[in-house]
Amino acid sequence: MRHPSNMSALTISASFSTSKQAVLLEGDCLKLLSKIPDGSIRLVVTSPPYNLGKSYERKGDFEKYLSWQDKVITECIRVLHPEGSICWQVGNYVHDGAIVPLDIALYPSFAQRNLKLRNRIVWHFEHGLHCTRRLSGRYETILWFTKSDNYLFDLDSIRVPQKYPGKKYFKGPKAGQYSCNPLGKNPGDVWVIPNVKNNHVEKTWG
Ligand SMILES: C[S@@+](CC[C@H](N)C(=O)[O-])C[C@H]1O[C@@H](n2cnc3c(N)ncnc32)[C@H](O)[C@@H]1O
């Protein structure tokens, strides 16, 4: 697979101008979004740049970064189906040793446009920079917004095993029946998923 460092990509689950389930478009997200009809996308999932000066971005004025993100968010909301969801995955912007949690900074862009926050999911991982003047950062967040109260949440498809699956009621009208859902429990809003850094054996490409 080709992956030049300056490649920017936006994956769109598309229902427009194609019979395919998914298409991969390469290019600037604002230009690509402008070609997508209103209300045509069921799910937007993105992890945008954090304005940290990584290989795919230029660190610039933070207010300008927020204003650019606001434009992208506005476009994503425009293309979102009335029953659709947006998941915005971000960490911290860091400047002069001070951190700015980007989910807090970007939340108003969604709330002002009447999107409803359903979860602020914490992604916890164990590897990363070792800070010397503050605690090392070991989580990022995903803001999951919906456009309306009528949205898809298929809990049964994401259940995880119960801690004590065989536990039963020991008294009362349900005595002897399982006290927890045998299909598993709701996974909760803290996800522990390892991240793979450059020198880890799991890294196979790049
Ligand atoms: C924070 S990274 C996300 C990385 C991703 N979460 C991952 O772990 O692979 C930001 C991504 O946005 C892409 N990007 C930067 N500017 C973009 C733009 N204007 N339009 C579309 N994508 C852009 C970069 O190429 C990079 O892949």
Side-chain angles (χ1 to χ4, degrees), residues 3-10 27-30 32 46-50 54 56-57 68 72 89 123:
H3 192 272
S5 61
N6 63 351
M7 185 180 105
S8 57
L10 177 72
D28 179 78
C29 60
L30 275 177
L32 294 170
T46 183
S47 177
Y50 302 171
K54 296 226 168 158
Y56 46 74
E57 63 179 345
W68 170 62
V72 178
Q89 194 272 306
W123 167 33

Side-chain angles (χ1 to χ4, degrees), residues 8 14 30 55 60 67 114 118 123 126 133 162-163 173 183 201:
S8 57
L30 275 177
S55 55
S67 138
N114 297 322
R118 300 295 168 181
W123 167 33
E126 295 193 335
R133 301 200 62 207
Q162 300 279 0
K163 195 166 183 187
L183 295 175
V201 289

Side-chain angles (χ1 to χ4, degrees), residues 5-8 47-62 65 68-69 92-94 102:
S5 61
N6 63 351
M7 185 180 105
S8 57
S47 177
Y50 302 171
N51 196 35
L52 291 173
K54 296 226 168 158
S55 55
Y56 46 74
E57 63 179 345
R58 193 146 20 104
K59 184 168 180 169
D61 178 72
F62 187 57
Y65 166 80
W68 170 62
Q69 279 287 281
N92 291 329
Y93 166 68
V94 187
L102 287 172

Side-chain angles (χ1 to χ4, degrees), residues 66-79:
L66 288 182
S67 138
W68 170 62
Q69 279 287 281
D70 189 67
K71 282 193 192 110
V72 178
I73 290 167
T74 306
E75 271 296 274
C76 288
I77 294 172
R78 178 188 65 74
V79 302

Side-chain angles (χ1 to χ4, degrees), residues 47 50 52 54 89-92 121-131 134-142 189-197 200:
S47 177
Y50 302 171
L52 291 173
K54 296 226 168 158
Q89 194 272 306
V90 281
N92 291 329
I121 301 158
V122 172
W123 167 33
H124 166 61
F125 45 83
E126 295 193 335
H127 304 286
L129 291 176
H130 300 287
C131 298
R134 60 185 157 88
L135 300 175
S136 299
R138 292 295 178 262
Y139 76 92
E140 296 194 353
T141 60
I142 304 159
D189 57 5
V190 177
W191 298 353
V192 182
I193 303 175
N195 54 348
V196 176
K197 308 302 281 186
H200 290 181

